[in-house]
Each structure stands twice: as C-alpha cells, then as structure tokens.
C-alpha cells in the first residue's frame, strides 16, 4: 500500500513538473526601489529611450509605482519602479548585477548619457568573443545598466543579471521549478566567472535571466533596493506546487490579492532571490 502511494505521489509530481514546460510563461517585469521617482524616470526616458507605460499612487500604503519600457506590457518586458514615501536611497548590494538594454548605437547612447549628466562606468568595448560590443552606465540610484549594441530588436529591455552561489543548483531549479530553458552557458576563466542564460524563448525575441557564478563566492548581500521579477503563468496554484516539489520556498501562498483580485504566488530561489508569479488573465485585466 505504501509503495503504491509513493508511486502515485511520484507520478503526480512528475506531471506537475512536466506542466511547467508547457505553461504559458514569460517575464513580465522587474521590480526595484528608487529614491527619487521623477529623477529616475527622467534618466530612463531621456537617456535610454523608454516610455512611461503607467503610473499608480497607493497613498494608503505609502508608495508610488511607475512602469517603464519599450512597448505595451501585455507583450513586452518592463521595469516597475517603486518609490516609498520618505525613503530617498537604497543599498543595491553585491548580488544584483545589471539590467541589460539593447541599443542600436553604443556611441550615440553613451554621448547622450554624458550630455544629460549620467554616469558612464565602462566605455564601449568588445567582449571576448569579438561579436558583441557593450558599455555600462549607472542610473541615479546606482543600479548598473549594461548596454549591448544590437540592430533593431523586439525586446530592448533584454536581460536581468543576478549572482548565485552554485550555478548548477540554480540552473536545475529554474529548469525544473520555473520551466525555463538553459539557452547557453559560458565559462570565463580569465575573469573567474561563469554565466548561464535562462529564459522562455530565444534571447533575440525575449527577455532573459542571466545567472552569474563568481569563482569561490557562495553568498552575496542583496541590499534593499532590488525587489523581484514577475513571471506570467496560467495557474499560480500549480506553479506553487511545482516550486515546493523542487525545494523552493513559497513565501506567499497562491491566491488573489486583496482589492484587485489578481492571483499571485511568491517564492524564493535557492539563493533567496524573489519571484512573483502572476495569473496571465488577471494581469491583462490590470492593463485594462
């Protein structure tokens, strides 16, 4: 009897994990806190060409959100900037890496950032493979934006990089629990780090998650600035079940949010990075 129960449980778990691969998922937005909302909006719109997609003030909870990006939220990855009343600075920490943004001309973008008083932390240079040119700038709150020179692209806001303590563990978790694909993995022994790019489709058409392992570094400080990534799903209840099966920590059980009734579930990955899964239909209703 016990063996039959175990076999039934294993079959259920296998079906749930298989479902994550076929669930209708994509990266919706990345959330981070800023000390001066107007100043940060001015940077991303004036220097990097984003548009303000929507803005909402929640006075009863003491914060304001602004959503920025390069296209409608129902089809594009975006940034959710959060300003908490009276808080003018945050600690970025050592774990957050950068936001990757594709631009048509690095030189023109860098010149514009300098003209508008932005901080350039790395001038345009060619990466080791010789096929890509990058540069880095800092936004007003100290978050790094890595600029990648590309032609016209469907998703200019294309990457979020986070550092992890065990790359193979993280790859396994994101594949099994989140249903992501490992798009590529590259070791850079000269600079003592390895990158793995995870996502829900080709990186020339979708935003991706870049996981970075620095040789010998197992833990990072997260600060209090970077918050989370939101991912769309057709079923937050099955999503939470899959995450639990894979050893992830659910910090908000699946269900509707008070007031707006959008169904979500919230989890932590093995390094403590937070992800919010949002019901796809409810997310589209929010846009309306």
């Amino acid at each position: 009897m016990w063996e039959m129960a175990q076999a039934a449980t294993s079959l259920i778990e296998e079906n749930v994990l298989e479902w994550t691969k076929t669930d209708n998922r994509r990266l919706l937005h990345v959330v981070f806190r800023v000390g001066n909302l107007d100043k940060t909006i001015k940077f991303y719109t004036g220097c990097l060409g984003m548009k303000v997609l929507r803005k909402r003030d929640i006075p009863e909870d003491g914060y304001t959100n602004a959503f920025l990006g390069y296209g409608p939220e129902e089809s594009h990855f975006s940034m959710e900037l959060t300003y908490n009343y009276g808080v003018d600075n945050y600690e970025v920490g050592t774990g957050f890496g950068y936001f990757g943004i594709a631009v048509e001309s690095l030189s023109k973008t860098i010149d514009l950032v300098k003209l508008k008083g932005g901080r350039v932390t790395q001038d345009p240079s060619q990466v080791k493979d010789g096929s890509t040119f990058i540069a880095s700038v800092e936004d007003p709150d100290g978050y790094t934006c890595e600029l990648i020179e590309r032609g016209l692209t469907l998703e200019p806001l294309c990457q979020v990089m986070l550092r992890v303590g065990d790359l193979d563990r993280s790859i396994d978790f994101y594949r099994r629990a989140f249903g992501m694909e490992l798009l590529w993995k590259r070791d850079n022994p000269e600079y003592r780090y390895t990158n793995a790019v995870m996502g829900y489709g080709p990186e020339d058409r979708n935003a991706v998650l870049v996981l970075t392992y620095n040789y010998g570094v197992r833990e990072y400080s997260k600060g209090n600035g970077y918050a989370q990534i939101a991912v769309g799903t057709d079923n937050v209840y099955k999503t939470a079940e899959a995450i639990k099966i894979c050893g992830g920590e659910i910090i908000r059980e699946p269900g509707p949010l008070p007031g707006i009734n959008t169904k979500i579930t919230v989890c932590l990955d093995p390094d403590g990075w937070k992800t919010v899964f949002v019901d796809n239909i409810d997310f589209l209703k929010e846009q309306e």
Side-chain angles (χ1 to χ4, degrees), residues 92-188:
V92 175
T94 60
F96 170 79
Y98 57 74
F99 305 118
I101 299 173
V103 299
E104 288 187 67
S105 171
L106 270 182
S107 59
K108 287 182 180 179
T109 304
I110 291 298
D111 287 346
L112 182 60
V113 171
K114 289 178 178 178
L115 180 66
K116 292 182 176 290
R119 185 178 176 215
V120 176
T121 54
Q122 178 186 329
D123 285 317
S125 62
Q126 196 170 27
V127 298
K128 192 174 180 181
D129 66 7
S131 62
T132 308
F133 288 86
I134 63 170
S136 296
V137 299
E138 267 189 10
D139 79 358
D141 293 274
Y143 298 98
T144 296
C145 296
E146 182 168 285
L147 308 181
I148 307 158
E149 190 166 75
R150 289 183 184 171
L152 287 173
T153 179
L154 294 174
E155 194 64 273
L157 180 54
C158 57
Q159 298 177 349
V160 176
M161 190 273 259
L162 302 173
R163 298 182 176 95
V164 299
D166 184 327
L167 190 58
D168 289 336
R169 179 185 65 179
S170 294
I171 290 170
D172 182 64
F173 177 81
Y174 280 95
R175 287 173 80 168
R176 296 177 71 239
F178 283 23
M180 288 186 176
E181 299 175 61
L182 174 62
L183 301 175
W184 54 263
K185 183 179 178 183
R186 186 172 300 142
D187 189 34
N188 295 274

Side-chain angles (χ1 to χ4, degrees), residues 12-13 16-17 236-246 250:
I12 291 170
E13 291 182 354
V16 169
L17 294 180
V236 297
Y237 301 95
K238 278 190 175 181
T239 293
E241 192 177 344
I243 291 165
K244 289 176 182 177
I245 289 170
C246 295
I250 298 293

